[in-house]
Amino acid sequence: MLKGKKGLYILLPLVLLIWGAIIYQVVDAFADEDPILTNAAIVNVKDIKVNERKAFTLSTVDRDPFLGTVYKPKKVTPSPTRRPKATSISWPSIQYKGVVSNGDATQAIFLVSINGTDQLMQLGETMADITLVNGDQQKIKTRYKGKIKEFTILSN
């Protein structure tokens, strides 16, 4: 590599020249002046001929054109009757807000919001057709119309 001031004398003008060329091209690209055409030639445009499409029809296939075998449509078998699905249960709005206990899970009191009203419930207790089946610090299990669903504690 070049040593001393000799390298500075060569590289500095080279860098300035390159940056000047880049800045000139950017400024020139955004200039508002449009180029003026001096030799504008008149162009004659001929109409394009459009061919009209021929009509066609599709017919049924009697034979396979490649194998020569007779085409047999598949028979549609009726599906067996299905049992209607069980109606889905519309659960009320339930939110698990927390638990108060002295360390014994059987004596714990759970704070549960059912349809916007706060309820204090113990294990096995039923309010508004909702039974508290099981619970701990993080989640509770409730039963409503024979179905069990788990709810986790609300985060702040």
Side-chain angles (χ1 to χ4, degrees):
M1 198 83 204
L2 301 173
K3 293 186 179 185
K5 291 185 180 182
K6 189 177 183 183
L8 182 66
Y9 292 138
I10 295 172
L11 292 178
L12 185 62
L14 185 63
V15 169
L16 291 175
L17 181 68
I18 292 171
W19 276 104
I22 292 172
I23 291 172
Y24 174 75
Q25 288 184 2
V26 170
V27 169
D28 188 42
F30 289 111
D32 288 338
E33 298 177 11
D34 292 331
I36 300 172
L37 297 176
T38 57
N39 297 332
I42 298 174
V43 179
N44 293 330
V45 179
K46 294 181 181 180
D47 292 334
I48 298 173
K49 293 181 182 179
V50 178
N51 295 333
E52 194 171 318
R53 292 187 181 199
K54 296 179 182 179
F56 64 93
T57 59
L58 296 177
S59 59
T60 59
V61 178
D62 296 331
R63 264 184 194 277
D64 186 344
F66 301 105
L67 299 176
T69 58
V70 177
Y71 174 72
K72 295 180 184 178
K74 293 181 181 179
K75 295 180 181 178
V76 178
T77 58
S79 62
T81 58
R82 297 181 183 168
R83 288 186 265 164
K85 293 182 179 178
T87 57
S88 62
I89 297 173
S90 176
W91 281 73
S93 172
I94 299 174
Q95 296 176 338
Y96 175 43
K97 294 188 174 182
V99 63
V100 178
S101 69
N102 60 356
D104 186 13
T106 59
Q107 298 295 325
I109 298 176
F110 298 90
L111 179 58
V112 180
S113 175
I114 302 172
N115 288 332
T117 60
D118 293 339
Q119 306 288 338
L120 296 174
M121 298 177 71
Q122 290 183 331
L123 294 178
E125 190 174 353
T126 302
M127 289 197 179
D129 294 334
I130 297 173
T131 305
L132 184 62
V133 176
N134 195 355
D136 59 16
Q137 297 287 335
Q138 300 300 319
K139 63 185 178 286
I140 59 169
K141 287 185 182 180
T142 57
R143 180 184 300 123
Y144 179 69
K145 295 186 180 178
K147 302 289 182 180
I148 294 179
K149 196 170 183 181
E150 189 172 283
F151 296 94
T152 57
I153 193 164
L154 290 177
S155 301
N156 288 339

